Amino acid sequence: MTPDVVRLTVVANQGESDIICSLLRVHGIACFERVTDAYGEAVGDHGARREILVRSDELDEARELLIAQRRGE
C-alpha cells in the first residue's frame, strides 16, 4: 500500500521551495512542491506560493528537519 502524501508547509516562492526540498532530499525524504493557486501555475509564476508535500510516514521527520534548520542547528 502506498503512503498518503500530506502538506508539510507552504512557502512564499519557488526559491524557498527549492531550498527546503533540497534539505529534505539530502536527508532521504522524498518531496515535491506545487503552486497553491491556479493563476500562479497558469502563468508559470515563480513567485507564487507553493506547498511542499511529503509522504505521511515521513512527515514527523521532515518537520523536525525544518525546525532544526530554522534554529540553525
Side-chain angles (χ1 to χ4, degrees):
M1 180 172 210
T2 305
D4 293 327
V5 175
V6 295
R7 178 189 288 179
L8 171 63
T9 191
V10 175
V11 297
N13 56 50
Q14 180 72 53
E16 192 174 352
S17 173
D18 289 345
I19 291 167
I20 292 173
C21 283
S22 293
L23 171 72
L24 295 171
R25 290 176 183 137
V26 162
H27 287 89
I29 298 174
C31 69
F32 71 96
E33 54 84 21
R34 63 183 175 196
V35 174
T36 59
D37 63 39
Y39 176 76
E41 192 164 328
V43 296
D45 184 2
H46 294 290
R49 292 172 52 89
R50 300 198 175 323
E51 63 181 343
I52 298 173
L53 302 129
V54 298
R55 293 176 16 175
S56 59
D57 61 346
E58 296 181 319
L59 181 60
D60 290 338
E61 182 180 359
R63 282 182 177 156
E64 289 175 18
L65 279 170
L66 285 185
I67 290 167
Q69 188 266 339
R70 289 178 178 146
R71 288 184 187 157
E73 296 175 5

